[in-house]
Amino acid sequence: MMKICMFVYNNCKYDSRVLKEAKTLADAGFDVRIIAVLDQETVPFESMHGFRIIRVPLNPLHYRILRRLQNFQWRELWRSIRAPKSAPTEAEQDNMTATGASAPLQPAAEPVSQPLKRRYPEFLKPLKPLYLIYRKSFRPLLIWLYKRCLSIPVFLYRAISRRITSAIYQLFRWLLLQFNMTFYYEDFYARCYRIVEAEPADLYHAHDFNTLPLACRIKRRMGGKIVYDAHELFSETKTLTRMQRITTRIRERWLIHHADQVITVCESIGHELVKRYGITFPVIVLNCPYRANKNILTASQLLRGRLGIDDKTHIILFQGGIGPFRALPNLIRAAHYLEDGIIVFMGWGSLETQMKELVISEKLSERVKFTPPVPYDELIQNTATADLGVVALEFDGLNNYYATPNKLFEYIAAGLPVVSSDFPELKRVIEGHELGKTFDPEDPKEIAAAIRFVLSDRERYERMRRNSLEAAKIFNWEIESNKLLDLYKRLT
């Protein structure tokens, strides 16, 4: 049985693409395991649908150093730094013997480096170059300061000591946090490598660029093949700084050629990867859900029942992450221009509290509702309760511009018409299959106009709903999974 090891830099609890691919390969007879990140919501080991998930805890080097620095007794270190005391001369020893005074005990002669080695700070061992700088430059300065501080009053000495201690910690913290993600990734790579070393695989599936260096490292040392699954244009994500985007693009240009096969989520990203790195055109595996049961779609009233919304009121649904780079503030403000309907956010994210505060400040509490996310197995059934799905993305670079979010295909699977940002891949699906309308995400009035266009004409709405159900026969995982299996059969 061929062994497949997948790497994903998240907890793999809600990542539907990773879970669907693992289940498809496990059903086809492959031995599949996923190595992911352990957090407070998950457990270290989990088995489902015939594959295993191994989650590793992260404890990166720079956090360990900062914790040691916080707990280290700087005052004791400050007091322990003294100029070495010289041994008494022969005349002083003769004088002590003549007067009957006992000579003070002196430590045995030893090399100068010995005391330094004995006082080597444990927390600096991983950073030997920094310690050498301390030993050659910083320590003599501390000794000089200590000599000058002997005549300073105690209260002033303590104040200076605290200031210097705080300054040293803040300096180290600033320096280490400049490489925050690098330390995190390297810690993840080291822990994954130890697991793979104990149980090697035949093929390594790297989800997104942040796991591709790990897969290449393992291939170089242990052999095997690599599938690089580019979920997005990673170098275009806004969470990266300008320098990080440049270095990521340089590294991806080099590492992508070590992959035996590249997969991506849409044609636009595929063409961009070919243009940038000169690779063969990737295999396009859309991130579609499984086809929904018709009985579930017709009988679903879960969302209305949970929110207490009657059958006559339209539900305009936005599901998924409530985070940055989505036109969510403008979607909320669009409620001012809607005569009928309630906008419902089903999900969670870093901006959830901020969006709720915006709803209150705009006095839209009766027109905009929030409800928690539901398990993936129940998602389509809840989605089918709504009347219209919204995909609202802001233009923040090519990554969003070429995006085909999961929610687009989930709305289609639930038989909903869709309104979305006027971006190429979204337009290709929505207007190409007559599923809805696109809008300018920067204009709340235009968002409201697109929603009214779909909901105002009952005949047009029913036609779009039928088109959505027909499109679900094309955009579903049953079809996309065959592309994945064909790829693996070629590689094996």
Side-chain angles (χ1 to χ4, degrees), residues 257-277:
H257 292 283
H258 290 73
D260 298 274
Q261 183 63 62
V262 179
I263 306 174
T264 192
V265 295
C266 68
E267 291 185 9
S268 294
I269 292 180
H271 286 299
E272 190 67 24
L273 292 175
V274 172
K275 177 183 174 182
R276 290 185 179 191
Y277 308 128

Side-chain angles (χ1 to χ4, degrees), residues 48-319:
M48 61 172 69
H49 306 302
F51 60 88
R52 296 170 290 156
I53 301 177
I54 303 171
R55 298 185 176 93
V56 296
L58 296 184
N59 187 20
L61 175 64
H62 65 313
Y63 274 24
R64 296 200 300 269
I65 292 172
L66 290 175
R67 282 196 295 269
R68 297 277 183 90
L69 283 170
Q70 276 187 323
N71 299 328
F72 190 73
Q73 299 298 323
W74 285 99
R75 185 175 295 178
E76 297 300 324
L77 176 63
W78 182 264
R79 291 174 178 173
S80 68
I81 300 173
R82 297 186 178 92
K85 294 182 179 179
S86 58
T89 62
E90 293 183 4
E92 289 174 338
Q93 290 179 356
D94 292 340
N95 186 33
M96 288 178 183
T97 304
T99 57
S102 59
L105 295 176
Q106 297 295 335
E110 56 184 9
V112 176
S113 60
Q114 189 65 22
L116 291 175
K117 185 176 181 181
R118 193 165 55 243
R119 290 197 297 269
Y120 193 99
E122 291 291 332
F123 64 89
L124 287 179
K125 279 188 176 180
L127 300 176
K128 191 172 182 180
L130 289 179
Y131 176 72
L132 293 176
I133 294 173
Y134 158 76
R135 178 178 170 181
K136 298 294 184 182
S137 304
F138 195 56
R139 186 176 182 276
L141 176 62
L142 288 177
I143 294 173
W144 180 84
L145 287 172
Y146 178 79
K147 291 178 180 179
R148 299 299 180 273
C149 288
L150 290 178
S151 58
I152 295 177
V154 174
F155 74 91
L156 187 58
Y157 166 78
R158 288 178 178 174
I160 294 173
S161 177
R162 283 194 296 270
R163 292 288 181 86
I164 293 177
T165 297
S166 176
I168 292 172
Y169 175 77
Q170 293 300 330
L171 175 62
F172 268 93
R173 186 176 184 276
W174 181 82
L175 287 172
L176 293 172
L177 290 181
Q178 300 307 305
F179 307 96
N180 183 54
M181 290 312 302
T182 302
F183 281 120
Y184 264 109
Y185 287 148
E186 287 300 324
D187 186 61
F188 179 71
Y189 297 164
R191 294 173 189 273
C192 291
Y193 186 86
R194 287 195 290 268
I195 295 173
V196 173
E197 193 175 27
E199 186 184 348
D202 302 299
L203 196 147
Y204 301 98
H205 192 123
H207 289 279
D208 263 330
F209 174 74
N210 50 16
T211 64
L212 182 59
L214 169 63
C216 293
R217 189 179 304 177
I218 292 173
K219 177 182 179 179
R220 185 171 62 251
R221 298 179 183 178
M222 301 183 194
K225 294 182 179 180
I226 296 176
V227 172
Y228 173 35
D229 196 341
H231 296 192
E232 56 188 347
L233 282 174
F234 197 83
S235 61
E236 297 292 331
T237 53
K238 280 294 183 180
T239 54
L240 302 178
T241 64
R242 185 171 182 274
M243 183 55 66
Q244 286 174 333
R245 287 199 292 271
I246 293 172
T247 55
T248 297
R249 192 162 174 174
I250 293 172
R251 294 180 69 202
E252 189 173 24
R253 178 186 298 276
W254 175 54
L255 293 175
I256 199 170
H257 292 283
H258 290 73
D260 298 274
Q261 183 63 62
V262 179
I263 306 174
T264 192
V265 295
C266 68
E267 291 185 9
S268 294
I269 292 180
H271 286 299
E272 190 67 24
L273 292 175
V274 172
K275 177 183 174 182
R276 290 185 179 191
Y277 308 128
I279 61 173
T280 57
F281 193 79
V283 175
I284 306 300
V285 180
L286 300 176
N287 198 15
C288 302
Y290 291 97
R291 290 193 65 183
N293 189 318
K294 289 185 178 180
N295 295 328
I296 291 177
L297 299 182
T298 55
S300 177
Q301 293 294 322
L302 293 176
L303 196 58
R304 290 185 182 274
R306 189 160 67 250
L307 295 173
I309 301 174
D310 60 73
D311 295 341
K312 296 180 181 180
T313 303
H314 294 302
I315 294 180
I316 302 146
L317 178 65
F318 177 91
Q319 68 185 33

Side-chain angles (χ1 to χ4, degrees), residues 1-6 8 11-36 44-55 199 207 290 376-377 477:
M1 184 184 296
M2 186 175 185
K3 293 183 178 181
I4 299 172
C5 182
M6 292 184 170
V8 57
N11 65 9
C12 198
K13 187 176 181 180
Y14 301 110
D15 198 324
S16 60
R17 182 179 181 88
V18 178
L19 296 174
K20 284 183 298 190
E21 289 182 349
K23 181 180 184 302
T24 298
L25 294 171
D27 291 343
F30 294 99
D31 180 7
V32 182
R33 59 178 165 157
I34 304 171
I35 304 181
F45 302 99
E46 189 174 359
S47 295
M48 61 172 69
H49 306 302
F51 60 88
R52 296 170 290 156
I53 301 177
I54 303 171
R55 298 185 176 93
E199 186 184 348
H207 289 279
Y290 291 97
Y376 187 75
D377 295 341
W477 186 250

Side-chain angles (χ1 to χ4, degrees), residues 314-332:
H314 294 302
I315 294 180
I316 302 146
L317 178 65
F318 177 91
Q319 68 185 33
I322 304 175
F325 314 121
R326 294 164 171 82
L328 304 186
N330 290 335
L331 176 59
I332 291 172

